[in-house]
C-alpha cells in the first residue's frame, strides 16, 4: 500500500516535470499568437485579457486569463500547467459549480479529461466518478498522451459548443429521438404503457438501408423510440448542426437495463442469433446480475409459422421486455409486424448483442469504443460479412450526409 502510494507520488512528479516541459514548449511556440492577440486588442483600444472562472468536478474554483481577441483565446490555460495548478489531463472542468462533487487524491484539474471525452463521444459505459477512478488507476504518460490525442480528435469532429440539441431530429428521412441514457431507461421502464412499444437503434448502416429501401425507412419511423447509435450518426448529426445527447447502443445500454430489471423483478426474453447463442448470453447475464429473471430464449433462424409460435412463447413466458437480435432490416420488420401481438411492455431491436454477450464475437477494446471506431474492429473480426456494410457503406453514408447537409 505504502509502495503503491510512493509509486504514484513518483509517477506524479515525473509527469509534472514532463508537463512543465511541454507547457514551456507550447508557450514558446505560441508567442507569435500572443503578440498578435495583444496587438489586435490594442488596435481596438480594448484590454487584451479577460478573467474567466472555471470549476472542476471536485468543486474547486479556478480563475484564468483569456485573450479578448484573436485565435486560441484559451491558450493561456498553459500558464496554469506551468504554475502546477492544472494538468494537461485530469479532473474534468465545467463552467458551473457541479451539483455533486467528486473526490480525487492523485489528479489535478485537467484541460482534457476522460469524462469530457466520454461526453463528447456520448460514451455511456462509465459514470463520471467511475471515469475519474479509471483515470487514477490507469494514469501514465502513455495514457495521458492518448487521452489528449483522442480528446483533440473528438473535439474537432464532434465539437458541440455551437449546436442545438432538439428532442427529436431528422437524419435523411429517419426521425431520431435525441435522448440521454437516463431518458432512454425511463422510456423503457417508467412510462405508463397501454400496449407494447418498440425501440430501435439507428446507425450509419440503417440510414443507408433506409435510403435504398423506403419501406424499411417507414418501418423505422413506425418505432416508438429510435435511438442514435454509433459515431456515424453522431457525425451526421454534427454536420447537420445537431448536438447528440448520448450514444446509446444496445450493448452499452444492456448493463443498465439488467440492473433495472433486477430492481423491478421483471423478466426478459432473448430472441435471435444462432442456436445456443441467446441461451449462452442469458447464462452469462444471470451470472453477472444475480437474480436477473430470464423469461426464455430462442434462436433467430425461423420461418413464418415459427415466428407466430415464438410470439406465443414470448407472451406465455410473461416477459416484460423482449430483445430481438435478427440483424437489420429483418429485426425491425419483425417488430413492426408483431408488436401489436406482443404482451411485453417493450420490444427492442438489438442486432449483434447476444453475439457479444455470449462471447461468440469479441467486442472492440475500450479505447476504440471511446473514439467511435468500434466498426473498424468489427470489420477486422468479420471482414467478409462486414465488407459491404463498412468499406462501401461508410463512404456512401458520408457522401449522402454531405450532399444533404453541407
Ligand atoms: N440473425 C438471426 N437470424 C437471421 C439473420 C441473422 O438471428 O435470419 C442474427 C445473427 O446470428 C446475429 C444478428 O442477427 O446474431 C445480427 O448481427 P449484426 O451484427 O449483423 O447486427 P447489427 O450490426 O445489424 O446490429
Amino acid at each position: 500500500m505504502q509502495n503503491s502510494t510512493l509509486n504514484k507520488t513518483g509517477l506524479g512528479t515525473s509527469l509534472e516535470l514532463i508537463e512543465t516541459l511541454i507547457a514551456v514548449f507550447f508557450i514558446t511556440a505560441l508567442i507569435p499568437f500572443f503578440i498578435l492577440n495583444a496587438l489586435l486588442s490594442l488596435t481596438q483600444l480594448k484590454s487584451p485579457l479577460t478573467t474567466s472562472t472555471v470549476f472542476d468536478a471536485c468543486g474547486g474554483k479556478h480563475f484564468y486569463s483569456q485573450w479578448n481577441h484573436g485565435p486560441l483565446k484559451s491558450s493561456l490555460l498553459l500558464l496554469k500547467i506551468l504554475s502546477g495548478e492544472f494538468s494537461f489531463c485530469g479532473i474534468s472542468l465545467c463552467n458551473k459549480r457541479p451539483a455533486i462533487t467528486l473526490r480525487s487524491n492523485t489528479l489535478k484539474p485537467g484541460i482534457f479529461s476522460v469524462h469530457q471525452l466520454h461526453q463528447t463521444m456520448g460514451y455511456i459505459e462509465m459514470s463520471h466518478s467511475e471515469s475519474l477512478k479509471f483515470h487514477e488507476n490507469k494514469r501514465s504518460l502513455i495514457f495521458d498522451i492518448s487521452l489528449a490525442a483522442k480528446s483533440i480528435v473528438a473535439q474537432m469532429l464532434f465539437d458541440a459548443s455551437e449546436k442545438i440539441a432538439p428532442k427529436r431530429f431528422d437524419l435523411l428521412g429517419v426521425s431520431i429521438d435525441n435522448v440521454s441514457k437516463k431518458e432512454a431507461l425511463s422510456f423503457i421502464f417508467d412510462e405508463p404503457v397501454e400496449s407494447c412499444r418498440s425501440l430501435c437503434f439507428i446507425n450509419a448502416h440503417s440510414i443507408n438501408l433506409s435510403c435504398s429501401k423506403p419501406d424499411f425507412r417507414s418501418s423505422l419511423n413506425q418505432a416508438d423510440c429510435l435511438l442514435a447509435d454509433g459515431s456515424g450518426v453522431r457525425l451526421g448529426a454534427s454536420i447537420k448542426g445537431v448536438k447528440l445527447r448520448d450514444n446509446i447502443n444496445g450493448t452499452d445500454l444492456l448493463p443498465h437495463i439488467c440492473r433495472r430489471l433486477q430492481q423491478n423483478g421483471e423478466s426478459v426474453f432473448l430472441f435471435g442469433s444462432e442456436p445456443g447463442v441467446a441461451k449462452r448470453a442469458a447464462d452469462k447475464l444471470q451470472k453477472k446480475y444475480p437474480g436477473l429473471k430470464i423469461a426464455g430464449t430462442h434462436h433467430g433462424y425461423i420461418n413464418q409459422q415459427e415466428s407466430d409460435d415464438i410470439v406465443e412463447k414470448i407472451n406465455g413466458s410473461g416477459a416484460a421486455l423482449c430483445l430481438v437480435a435478427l440483424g437489420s432490416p429483418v429485426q425491425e420488420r419483425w417488430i413492426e409486424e408483431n408488436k401489436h401481438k406482443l404482451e411485453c411492455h417493450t420490444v427492442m431491436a438489438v442486432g449483434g448483442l447476444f453475439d457479444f454477450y455470449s462471447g461468440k464475437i469479441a467486442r472492440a477494446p475500450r479505447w476504440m469504443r471511446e473514439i467511435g471506431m468500434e466498426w473498424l474492429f468489427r470489420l477486422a473480426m468479420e471482414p467478409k460479412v462486414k465488407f459491404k456494410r463498412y468499406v462501401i457503406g461508410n463512404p456512401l453514408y458520408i457522401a449522402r450526409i454531405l450532399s444533404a447537409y453541407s
Side-chain angles (χ1 to χ4, degrees):
M1 175 75 189
Q2 220 174 11
N3 266 348
S4 95
T5 314
L6 278 177
N7 286 342
K8 284 203 170 137
T9 318
L11 172 71
T13 317
S14 43
L15 279 178
E16 262 173 39
L17 187 67
I18 293 167
E19 288 196 330
T20 308
L21 291 174
I22 296 173
V24 168
F25 171 79
F26 277 115
I27 289 170
T28 314
L30 289 174
I31 283 174
F33 286 98
F34 296 169
I35 295 171
L36 174 73
N37 290 358
L39 287 176
L40 281 172
S41 299
L42 280 180
T43 56
Q44 301 192 21
L45 298 177
K46 290 201 173 135
S47 158
L49 297 176
T50 184
T51 304
S52 300
T53 313
V54 74
F55 295 89
D56 66 58
C58 296
K61 187 177 182 183
H62 310 271
F63 300 97
Y64 69 101
S65 296
Q66 263 194 316
W67 294 107
N68 268 329
H69 299 96
L72 303 169
K73 289 198 172 67
S74 300
S75 50
L76 293 177
L77 270 174
L78 288 165
L79 296 175
K80 288 269 166 195
I81 294 175
L82 218 51
S83 73
E85 190 179 340
F86 280 18
S87 292
F88 277 105
C89 297
I91 304 162
S92 63
L93 302 172
C94 54
N95 295 329
K96 282 189 283 179
R97 190 182 289 283
I100 301 165
T101 51
L102 307 176
R103 256 174 173 227
S104 174
N105 295 326
T106 52
L107 295 178
K108 292 179 190 174
I111 295 174
F112 307 110
S113 67
V114 178
H115 176 68
Q116 191 54 47
L117 172 67
H118 290 177
Q119 288 269 300
T120 313
M121 296 305 301
Y123 177 87
I124 61 165
E125 273 182 63
M126 280 184 207
S127 68
H128 196 165
S129 62
E130 281 167 349
S131 69
L132 198 63
K133 284 262 155 336
F134 175 72
H135 191 171
E136 285 182 333
N137 293 334
K138 294 274 175 190
R139 194 167 185 224
S140 68
L141 182 60
I142 300 290
F143 182 88
D144 280 9
I145 289 173
S146 93
L147 174 60
K150 285 186 283 190
S151 302
I152 291 167
V153 173
Q155 285 288 333
M156 281 180 350
L157 284 177
F158 304 111
D159 178 27
S161 48
E162 285 178 10
K163 299 191 173 80
I164 51 159
K167 282 262 167 211
R168 195 163 241 243
F169 68 97
D170 176 282
L171 200 65
L172 297 176
V174 179
S175 187
I176 299 175
D177 293 284
N178 188 12
V179 296
S180 64
K181 175 187 79 186
K182 206 168 150 196
E183 288 166 329
L185 287 168
S186 179
F187 169 84
I188 300 170
F189 291 105
D190 302 332
E191 284 185 10
V193 290
E194 282 171 8
S195 56
C196 178
R197 292 106 19 96
S198 56
L199 186 153
C200 301
F201 297 94
I202 300 298
N203 52 32
H205 175 56
S206 32
I207 295 279
N208 274 342
L209 281 175
S210 76
C211 289
S212 51
K213 299 179 203 286
D215 62 318
F216 176 61
R217 180 184 288 152
S218 112
S219 291
L220 286 178
N221 284 329
Q222 296 293 318
D224 298 291
C225 184
L226 285 181
L227 299 178
D229 161 15
S231 48
V233 175
R234 180 158 288 264
L235 191 63
S238 177
I239 289 169
K240 204 184 169 187
V242 169
K243 178 189 171 186
L244 269 192
R245 290 199 163 87
D246 282 336
N247 173 27
I248 316 172
N249 60 60
T251 321
D252 295 341
L253 199 59
L254 190 64
H256 303 280
I257 289 177
C258 288
R259 276 180 223 121
R260 288 297 295 267
L261 287 167
Q262 269 179 315
Q263 282 166 17
N264 297 357
E266 291 180 323
S267 64
V268 58
F269 195 102
L270 275 53
F271 165 43
S273 296
E274 288 172 6
V277 174
K279 176 77 176 76
R280 280 209 300 281
D283 292 345
K284 289 211 168 161
L285 287 173
Q286 274 185 317
K287 251 194 203 144
K288 197 158 178 203
Y289 304 97
L292 175 71
K293 290 187 191 158
I294 303 290
T297 62
H298 199 288
H299 68 80
Y301 290 81
I302 51 159
N303 57 33
Q304 184 54 47
Q305 173 55 42
E306 285 167 318
S307 167
D308 294 339
D309 295 345
I310 284 163
V311 171
E312 269 180 37
K313 193 173 171 190
I314 295 167
N315 288 342
S317 74
L321 177 68
C322 179
L323 306 182
V324 181
L326 306 175
S328 292
V330 183
Q331 57 195 13
E332 289 82 4
R333 288 205 179 112
W334 188 90
I335 288 176
E336 193 196 1
E337 280 163 21
N338 295 286
K339 187 174 80 169
H340 63 283
K341 299 183 223 160
L342 288 170
E343 289 164 10
C344 50
H345 63 62
T346 314
V347 57
M348 285 172 61
V350 293
L353 182 87
F354 306 158
D355 294 335
F356 295 129
Y357 274 88
S358 64
K360 180 175 174 258
I361 294 180
R363 237 193 133 190
R366 189 196 305 275
W367 69 267
M368 285 187 113
R369 303 205 299 274
E370 276 178 344
I371 55 168
M373 285 291 149
E374 188 162 15
W375 65 271
L376 204 59
F377 185 84
R378 293 190 72 183
L379 176 65
M381 289 289 105
E382 301 174 284
K384 275 193 190 148
V385 184
K386 302 290 184 212
F387 183 84
K388 195 169 163 218
R389 179 186 299 195
Y390 295 128
V391 179
I392 297 172
N394 283 0
L396 183 63
Y397 169 77
I398 298 290
R400 281 176 164 147
I401 290 286
L402 289 177
S403 75
Y405 301 121
S406 69

